[in-house]
Amino acid sequence: MSLPVRSAARHGVSLLSGGAAALLSTGSPSPALLCGGLAATLGLTLAVTGKLARTLVVVTVHGNSMEPAYHDGDRVLVRRGAPPEPGQVVVMERPAAGIGWTAPPVSTGADPTAVSAREWLIKRVAAVPGDPVPYEMGVADERVPHVPTGRVVLFGDNRAASHDSRQMGYFPVERLLGAVLRPLPR
């Protein structure tokens, strides 16, 4: 399946090269240059669009745990694959009540359909691996001084309405979808 794509890309580059030679010799753009430029632009656009579809995802906020920053029904643009940083708002896969996660994590390269098949939480990162454990976090029977490797502490901005690390403990970094870049218009 990748052979036709490589072949088309080579064809586009060769048309572009031939057109550039024609432009240099005649001083005006040739049809070969225009077609080659279009083929190269189309190929680049398709490659960038495919990459962006796997890097940027739109997520709808459900609930009021992040008020006043985000409200129920708000849509946010999420950048996948970004490492979490304290203070950052992130989207994390919601664990099944009482049993954790039943499916493997969504891979960074998964398409938007695979992402939309899961349930997501939106929370603010309070601490990342190696950071001191925030005093608000009441992890039962765990009194470690630092956040363990591969885990993060997440809190909702509206603490009274948020189900977060205070009740659920550490969240695995591998379940992080990405960081919220910005809200989108309603």
Side-chain angles (χ1 to χ4, degrees), residues 112-173:
T113 305
V115 172
S116 66
R118 305 287 177 101
E119 289 187 39
W120 303 98
L121 300 168
I122 182 169
K123 303 291 179 200
R124 192 171 303 277
V125 177
V128 296
D131 283 353
V133 175
Y135 74 92
E136 304 101 326
M137 191 172 153
V139 178
D141 299 324
E142 285 192 50
R143 297 290 178 226
V144 294
H146 296 93
V147 177
T149 302
R151 304 284 187 228
V152 290
V153 176
L154 304 176
F155 294 141
D157 287 357
N158 181 359
R159 304 276 171 108
S162 181
H163 194 71
D164 51 36
S165 286
R166 291 171 298 147
Q167 297 83 22
M168 299 168 64
Y170 302 109
F171 284 85
V173 172

Side-chain angles (χ1 to χ4, degrees), residues 66-80:
M66 285 300 292
E67 288 181 355
Y70 300 100
H71 300 276
D72 187 51
D74 284 352
R75 294 176 334 127
V76 294
L77 184 63
V78 176
R79 180 174 157 237
R80 295 177 64 188

